[in-house]
Amino acid sequence: MDVDELRQRLETEKYSLPLSPSLRSGLIVDYRLVDAALAWQDASTDHHLICFDDPRYPPLLKTITDPPIFLFVRGQAEALLRPSVAMVGSRAASYSGLQTARMLASGLAGYGFAVVSGLAAGIDGASHQGALTASGVTHAVLGTGIDEIYPKKHAHLANEILERGCIVSEFWPGTPVFAGNFPKRNRIVTGMALGTLVVEAARKSGSLISARLAMEQGREVFAVPGSVLDERHQGCHDLLRQGVKLVCDAADIVEELGSMLSCQLDMLPQSPHIEAESGQELPYPELLASVEYETTPVDRLVEHSGKPIDLVLEQILELELQGWVAAVPGGYVRVKRN
């Protein structure tokens, strides 16, 4: 998108933006910022400005009450379409909490889910690391500008994330650390995901704010139990008393996300329905052959079919619409024979 096109859209289409009428009526375009954003995008091939109507915009994020108008994204932008689970928890996490976060993130990656977190110290960082250890996808949502990694010690981790997933921010490049921006960041973390897992959290912690946001957004919330003697687990225990699902391994999460996963797949950009690929009797035969009559996880479909995740998600939805497969907790099953 060039400068003239963006300026025209900002002037003529501002009333289609996901804002309240009062905000839209007072919207003033600062073209210096527009030019700066476009200059940032042009500075590198892995810099992306993703507007609300961009097909790469995270589909579930569009459904929250206050979605960002656009996102600054670094990394593999197409990976934003992958179904994801948010993981949050204490910055001053215990050793066992960090180990648990890594284990659960690795397990979710094994099921084909992306792990979304905030790149903070503690549970956030461990969650990103766990997904990367399993060669999975993870996204870091910043409460600073896209070029301001916080904390600084996670600069190397941020570079690793760029190889497999994305770094995301709604704040302009150069925006420094400001405490008031982190709650805004949290709504994106939970809004991108099918559900939010709280690994370790004290009472009155920011992680419980994220859990509340997820509930308000209509998402699943999960919590990991811990020692009743450790205050870092009291917030999780409070959530469990409220009825959120207790989690011991990744399978506990995946089995709850079947309906939400189908919802996200329905929202993905897709090509027109066709009866079969050109010159073939069966639709997407390599992918269809990968779906068993018992539950087949998405990661296994990716591995067996040899197709990229975004193509698998598009084609498996097409197969579901044609009645060849059905979505079930944990993946898909074959329901029609050749």
Side-chain angles (χ1 to χ4, degrees):
M1 182 182 298
D2 61 27
V3 175
D4 292 337
E5 180 184 357
L6 182 57
R7 285 179 171 177
Q8 182 179 12
R9 291 190 62 184
L10 288 170
E11 290 174 348
T12 62
E13 300 180 22
K14 68 178 183 179
Y15 290 101
S16 67
L17 295 174
L19 301 172
S20 66
S22 60
L23 286 175
R24 282 198 299 264
S25 63
L27 184 64
I28 299 174
V29 180
D30 187 334
Y31 291 112
R32 293 174 300 173
L33 290 178
V34 173
D35 293 344
L38 291 170
W40 174 84
Q41 178 179 242
D42 293 340
S44 174
T45 56
D46 76 342
H47 288 190
H48 312 277
L49 278 176
I50 297 184
C51 298
F52 191 78
D53 60 354
D54 191 305
R56 299 169 298 174
Y57 192 99
L60 291 180
L61 189 59
K62 290 183 177 182
T63 68
I64 70 174
T65 56
D66 54 347
I69 299 172
F70 61 86
L71 297 167
F72 294 92
V73 175
R74 292 177 61 199
Q76 315 304 314
E78 291 75 15
L80 292 172
L81 299 179
R82 182 187 288 252
S84 61
V85 174
M87 293 182 62
V88 299
S90 173
R91 285 180 170 83
S94 66
Y95 175 80
S96 63
L98 297 175
Q99 292 292 92
T100 299
R102 294 188 187 100
M103 177 195 73
L104 292 171
S106 177
L108 287 168
Y111 279 105
F113 289 90
V115 172
V116 183
S117 199
L119 200 64
I123 296 300
D124 284 17
S127 300
H128 294 304
Q129 292 165 354
L132 292 170
T133 299
S135 298
V137 172
T138 183
H139 305 311
V141 184
L142 306 183
T144 58
I146 193 72
D147 54 348
E148 298 285 333
I149 300 301
Y150 177 80
K152 296 294 185 183
K153 68 177 183 179
H154 279 171
H156 179 70
L157 176 59
N159 288 331
E160 291 183 329
I161 290 171
L162 294 177
E163 298 296 321
R164 302 284 304 172
C166 298
I167 295 177
V168 179
S169 178
E170 69 175 321
F171 301 108
W172 294 87
T175 301
V177 177
F178 175 65
N181 287 341
F182 289 96
K184 297 177 183 177
R185 181 273 309 272
N186 292 345
R187 85 188 194 287
I188 300 177
V189 171
T190 58
M192 288 174 60
L194 296 161
T196 293
L197 170 62
V198 184
V199 178
E200 201 173 71
R203 290 189 175 119
K204 299 182 180 179
S205 71
S207 300
L208 297 188
I209 295 175
S210 294
R212 176 178 56 78
L213 285 170
M215 293 176 185
E216 292 172 352
Q217 292 165 348
R219 310 297 156 80
E220 298 288 345
V221 176
F222 310 90
V224 177
S227 171
V228 296
L229 301 177
D230 190 338
E231 65 179 11
R232 287 172 293 196
H233 295 286
Q234 291 175 351
C236 289
H237 295 160
D238 289 344
L239 289 173
L240 292 169
R241 291 190 189 96
Q242 296 169 26
V244 310
K245 175 149 185 176
L246 183 150
V247 167
C248 293
D249 57 37
D252 294 331
I253 300 170
V254 173
E255 69 181 13
E256 293 291 320
L257 296 179
S259 59
M260 285 291 291
L261 180 59
S262 297
C263 175
Q264 177 165 353
L265 292 172
D266 288 343
M267 299 169 69
L268 288 175
Q270 53 186 289
S271 56
H273 302 334
I274 56 177
E275 293 301 319
E277 291 182 327
S278 177
Q280 298 172 335
E281 296 181 359
L282 295 175
Y284 313 121
E286 297 91 351
L287 180 59
L288 188 58
S290 302
V291 185
E292 302 172 2
Y293 290 96
E294 297 180 354
T295 302
T296 310
V298 173
D299 64 319
R300 194 182 305 167
L301 297 179
V302 174
E303 179 182 355
H304 287 185
S305 68
K307 299 176 181 289
I309 180 64
D310 54 341
L311 186 58
V312 166
L313 294 176
E314 178 181 338
Q315 292 185 354
I316 199 70
L317 175 59
E318 187 70 37
L319 290 172
E320 183 182 7
L321 293 171
Q322 293 185 28
W324 288 94
V325 303
V328 296
Y332 290 83
V333 295
R334 181 80 171 265
V335 296
K336 187 194 296 187
R337 296 182 182 274
N338 296 359

